[in-house]
Amino acid sequence: MNLVSLKESDNDLVVSWESQCFGIPWTKEQVAFEFMSNPFFVGYQALENQDVVGYVIVWKTYEQAQISRIGILPKYQGKGLGKKMLECIKEQCWKMGCTSINLEVRSKNWAGIALYESCGFTHIHTVKDYYPDGSDAYVYEYKK
């Protein structure tokens, strides 16, 4: 798997991927903000055999990376690509000088929780009522 940097011209692609991967996708304006105004934004599309299989948006602040969005496109889900992508993301974060990676996951997202734990992430905190529907968020961390 290869990670290829997202460019501002990929804005519409990311909006499309958001609607395919999330029940509450980011809007076109939210995605545009990431590309144009967020100084911490780092984004990648994940390629497997030259096919785009997913994407990730990371916020890098000094030595910490925050995985803000991570999605595997529906036709590629359930094939172990999420784990491969997370391993690539970890390597990329280390190359950027990060020593830890954090993320939030919906408390009822059992598949996501299993994926993160299988990749060595540790549940460090719960944020009550984090999501718009009132769901809690589990905060996970991975340290180099």
Side-chain angles (χ1 to χ4, degrees), residues 44-110:
Y44 301 99
Q45 55 184 309
L47 302 177
E48 181 79 359
N49 301 321
Q50 303 305 313
D51 292 329
V52 176
V53 299
Y55 69 105
V56 62
I57 295 173
V58 175
W59 297 332
K60 183 197 178 293
T61 52
Y62 305 102
E63 68 279 351
Q64 182 175 350
Q66 169 81 25
I67 296 177
S68 174
R69 297 298 255 191
I70 183 169
I72 296 291
L73 299 174
K75 75 179 194 175
Y76 298 104
Q77 291 175 2
K79 299 178 181 186
L81 296 174
K83 190 168 190 166
K84 283 178 81 172
M85 190 161 90
L86 266 176
E87 294 303 323
C88 289
I89 293 163
K90 288 194 293 190
E91 275 303 310
Q92 193 62 39
C93 288
W94 307 154
K95 288 178 185 175
M96 292 189 296
C98 296
T99 58
S100 68
I101 304 169
N102 288 10
L103 59 84
E104 291 97 24
V105 61
R106 193 177 299 269
S107 60
K108 295 178 183 169
N109 181 352
W110 304 116

